[in-house]
Amino acid sequence: MDYRTGRHVVHMLHVHLVFVTKYRRDVLSEPALRDLKDIFAKVCRDFEAELIECDGEDDHVHLLVHYPPKVPLSRLVNSLKGVSSRLLREHRPEITGRYHKGALWSPSYFAASCGGAPLSVIADYVKSQREAAKGRSRIPSLPEGRGIPRG
């Protein structure tokens, strides 16, 4: 509650998500990643959340999402993965054959709270995923910032 205005203040939670394609198959082209960004943004709006950044490589995506504490993260993730798999199949029929038995995503996912690092650092890291992939191994480097050790 903001006592100056008498209005309830909703503090958003911040999460860095990573979804990996089933069996790490190279399924996601640059046009598919652009479609996914739009799909993820729409799903987030349905949950009163906001997609801050989204990028990835051929076999995984990174998302930075702000979401209200009333939304269970597992429900948001299930919707993001389910809706994106179905809509990407409709929008990009050329990659449907690359899904494994109709599944785009691995059943697991990575989620990390972004409370310790400056959000701009996390957003820059997510935004740079495709560019960073050119000329390096599949293991992403750590972003630079306060409290994030290099190594």
Side-chain angles (χ1 to χ4, degrees):
M1 172 79 73
D2 184 337
Y3 294 103
R4 292 171 289 161
T5 64
R7 299 172 72 180
H8 286 282
V9 177
V10 177
H11 294 283
M12 299 294 270
L13 300 174
H14 316 289
V15 66
H16 173 195
L17 298 170
V18 181
F19 303 154
V20 177
T21 59
K22 188 86 168 187
Y23 300 117
R24 298 284 313 227
R25 290 194 175 191
D26 290 340
V27 175
L28 306 174
S29 62
E30 288 190 39
L33 286 168
R34 283 193 301 272
D35 288 351
L36 283 172
K37 187 172 185 174
D38 293 339
I39 293 166
F40 290 146
K42 169 72 170 84
V43 171
C44 284
R45 285 191 299 273
D46 291 345
F47 281 85
E48 298 175 29
E50 181 181 3
L51 179 66
I52 302 301
E53 275 305 332
C54 176
D55 207 345
E57 297 180 35
D58 296 340
D59 64 355
H60 70 279
V61 293
H62 291 256
L63 296 83
L64 177 59
V65 177
H66 293 192
Y67 68 102
K70 68 181 180 181
V71 173
L73 182 59
S74 60
R75 209 171 119 234
L76 175 61
V77 166
N78 286 340
S79 188
L80 286 165
K81 289 172 73 175
V83 171
S84 65
S85 181
R86 180 176 48 80
L87 291 180
L88 194 61
R89 185 181 298 115
E90 292 174 12
H91 295 155
R92 298 272 162 210
E94 71 275 9
I95 68 169
T96 300
R98 301 179 76 180
Y99 281 38
H100 183 74
K101 296 184 179 176
L104 173 61
W105 303 115
S106 167
S108 61
Y109 62 92
F110 169 83
S113 168
C114 298
L119 291 178
S120 62
V121 171
I122 303 297
D124 288 345
Y125 175 73
V126 169
K127 191 186 321 182
S128 68
Q129 287 304 295
R130 183 152 293 272
E131 291 83 23
K134 296 178 176 121
R136 69 157 172 79
S137 72
R138 287 178 145 346
I139 300 171
S141 61
L142 293 172
E144 293 187 33
R146 292 182 300 140
I148 300 175
R150 299 293 296 176

